[in-house]
């Protein structure tokens, strides 16, 4: 496969999409507006018009310091309707792992999967499987042949997704490098379910849905009943904005801790690098810079994006056509440029 040029948000940056008229959409109050929510109105208008001209974008939500400044659906469902966020699900699953560690359900990231959820690991596996840790799953450094890309269809058509993922051949040693694989996050989700005795859906609803006041619909399950850990979750753009705000505020929602500040900090430490975009990766978050500002972002197939620029108080959500590819040198590259060249300047010039 030809290596894509690195996604360096300092050159090209991505933003998120939103929808519809705020008057009829924002039925639940978001965080109260805080000082410094302003954007340069001319530059913000240009950014929104630029987004509207990208035919793959469905919706764009832009907020600053907790206040939604613009939420529009250019096409597709309204901003208060749940949509498939694809691999943004991985970032949500990583958040649940952090909460599980905060609550003592998991002992920590260095615990082997075989210890955290011994019932998941079949007897007939490569001995290296027992060295795979929770951290390896969070960073997609398990070393096993990926289940994403060309291998995805064969994997989800298998009789047991957990066993199939664990019995794949090793491409490299555990912890050596990132091999983008939804299977790693499915193993993480199954481990959370096994360790807690509850479904990933129940955990998502109690640990994130209830405190944030967001809806978490049911999504895909494997043949054994485990909810897919790294794909196909659905949130509305406005609810995804709330999730982003939780992270931008260091794990706090309305002043109350939902995720520990320690987990937020640990998640935004570069631990590996994407072989496709070239950007760093922490625990569930891609990490980059845009115009000198640190950016953490979640990315899903088709151009489902959540961008956080904490230094500017920015949270941006983009949803796109889930059926069309969005490469780093394609649609996602255009989204990156939208963030870097249009949205960030509108915030800087306010």
């Amino acid at each position: 496969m030809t290596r894509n040029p690195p996604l360096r948000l300092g050159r090209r940056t991505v933003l998120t999409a939103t929808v519809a008229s705020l008057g009829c959409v924002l039925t639940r109050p978001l965080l109260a507006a805080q000082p410094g929510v302003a954007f340069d109105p001319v530059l913000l208008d240009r950014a929104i018009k630029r987004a509207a001209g990208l035919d793959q974008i469905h919706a764009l939500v832009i907020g600053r310091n907790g206040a939604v400044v613009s939420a529009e659906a250019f096409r597709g469902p309204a901003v208060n309707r749940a949509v498939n966020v694809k691999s943004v699900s991985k970032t949500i699953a990583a958040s649940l792992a952090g909460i599980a560690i905060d609550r003592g359900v998991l002992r920590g990231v260095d615990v082997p999967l075989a210890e955290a959820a011994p019932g998941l690991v079949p007897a007939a596996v490569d001995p290296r499987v027992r060295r795979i840790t929770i951290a390896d799953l969070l960073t997609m450094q398990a070393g096993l042949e990926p289940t994403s890309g060309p291998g995805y269809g064969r994997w989800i058509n298998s009789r047991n997704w957990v066993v199939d993922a664990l019995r794949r051949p090793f491409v490299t040693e555990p912890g050596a490098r990132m091999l983008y694989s939804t299977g790693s996050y499915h193993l993480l989700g199954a481990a959370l379910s096994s360790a807690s005795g509850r479904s990933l859906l129940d955990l998502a609803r109690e640990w994130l849905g209830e405190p944030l006041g967001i809806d978490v619909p049911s999504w895909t399950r494997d043949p054994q009943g485990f909810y897919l850990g790294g794909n196909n979750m659905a949130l509305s753009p406005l609810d995804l904005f709330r999730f982003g705000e939780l992270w931008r505020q260091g794990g706090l929602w309305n002043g109350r801790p939902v995720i520990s500040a320690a987990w937020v900090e640990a998640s935004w430490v570069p631990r590996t690098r994407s072989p496709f975009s070239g950007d760093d990766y922490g625990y569930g978050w891609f990490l980059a810079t845009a115009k000198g500002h640190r950016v953490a972002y979640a990315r899903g197939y088709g151009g489902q994006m959540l961008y956080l620029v904490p230094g500017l108080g920015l949270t941006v959500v983009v949803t796109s056509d889930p059926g069309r590819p969005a490469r780093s040198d394609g649609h996602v590259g255009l989204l990156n440029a939208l963030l870097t060249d249009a949205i960030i300047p509108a915030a800087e010039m306010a």
Side-chain angles (χ1 to χ4, degrees):
M1 177 179 291
T2 301
R3 180 180 173 87
N4 293 331
L7 174 59
R8 290 299 176 216
L9 295 185
R11 283 187 295 129
R12 306 162 69 191
T13 298
V14 188
L15 220 70
T16 53
T18 75
V19 80
S21 79
L22 287 168
C24 64
V25 169
L26 295 179
T27 57
R28 294 184 302 225
L30 290 162
L31 294 176
Q34 301 172 25
V37 299
F39 288 79
D40 180 282
V42 174
L43 294 181
L44 180 62
D45 183 62
R46 288 178 184 171
I48 293 168
K49 288 179 178 177
R50 178 169 172 172
L54 301 177
D55 69 349
Q56 285 186 232
I57 281 188
H58 281 184
L60 173 65
V61 178
I62 303 173
R64 194 167 192 194
N65 294 328
V68 171
V69 176
S70 175
E72 279 195 64
F74 306 114
R75 52 194 67 84
V79 289
N80 62 342
R81 294 285 301 276
V83 297
N84 190 336
V85 297
K86 296 293 187 177
S87 285
V88 173
S89 305
K90 293 178 175 64
T91 309
I92 297 169
S95 302
L96 295 175
I99 296 172
I101 291 171
D102 293 340
R103 297 184 176 213
V105 175
L106 293 178
R107 191 163 54 81
V109 296
D110 295 327
V111 174
L113 171 67
E115 179 182 325
L120 293 182
V121 180
V125 292
D126 187 306
R128 287 173 289 183
V129 165
R130 301 188 182 279
R131 289 166 35 200
I132 296 171
T133 66
I134 297 299
D136 293 333
L137 300 178
L138 284 162
T139 56
M140 291 185 277
Q141 295 185 100
L144 295 161
E145 177 186 76
T147 62
S148 294
Y152 187 77
R154 176 167 61 90
W155 176 55
I156 62 172
N157 286 318
S158 68
R159 295 182 179 180
N160 189 314
W161 297 2
V162 168
V163 170
D164 183 87
L166 290 173
R167 284 184 173 162
R168 292 196 167 216
F170 275 87
V171 176
T172 187
E173 293 299 307
R177 61 186 173 92
M178 183 181 188
L179 296 167
Y180 190 92
S181 180
T182 296
S184 287
Y185 266 85
H186 187 59
L187 293 171
L188 177 68
L192 288 171
S193 293
S194 298
S196 66
R198 303 175 62 192
S199 74
L200 200 62
L201 174 63
D202 285 345
L203 298 180
R205 285 176 169 172
E206 180 183 332
W207 292 355
L208 291 174
E210 290 179 11
L212 297 181
I214 65 177
D215 296 321
V216 182
S218 181
W219 71 97
T220 308
R221 288 190 287 177
D222 73 9
Q224 284 64 49
F226 290 116
Y227 282 88
L228 180 52
N231 198 11
N232 288 350
M233 293 182 72
L235 292 177
S236 74
L238 289 175
D239 283 349
L240 187 54
F241 177 86
R242 285 179 171 233
F243 173 75
E245 274 297 297
L246 168 68
W247 275 86
R248 188 192 64 79
Q249 296 182 99
L252 299 176
W253 184 255
N254 287 335
R256 295 184 177 182
V258 176
I259 301 171
S260 70
W263 184 252
V264 173
E265 181 178 356
S267 298
W268 288 351
V269 172
R271 299 178 186 280
T272 186
R273 178 167 292 181
S274 167
F276 303 115
S277 70
D279 283 340
D280 291 328
Y281 195 73
Y283 293 152
W285 289 93
F286 293 95
L287 307 167
T289 59
K291 289 191 174 293
H293 302 285
R294 293 181 62 197
V295 178
Y297 69 96
R299 174 177 175 175
Y301 183 86
Q304 324 311 320
M305 310 294 294
L306 170 60
Y307 295 92
L308 307 181
V309 189
L312 290 174
L314 276 178
T315 298
V316 179
V317 173
V318 177
T319 60
S320 303
D321 185 339
R324 296 172 63 181
R327 294 170 61 92
S328 297
D329 57 357
H331 179 58
V332 166
L334 296 175
L335 295 180
N336 287 341
L338 175 65
L339 178 67
T340 299
D341 302 336
I343 297 173
I344 285 178
E348 290 177 326
M349 296 302 291

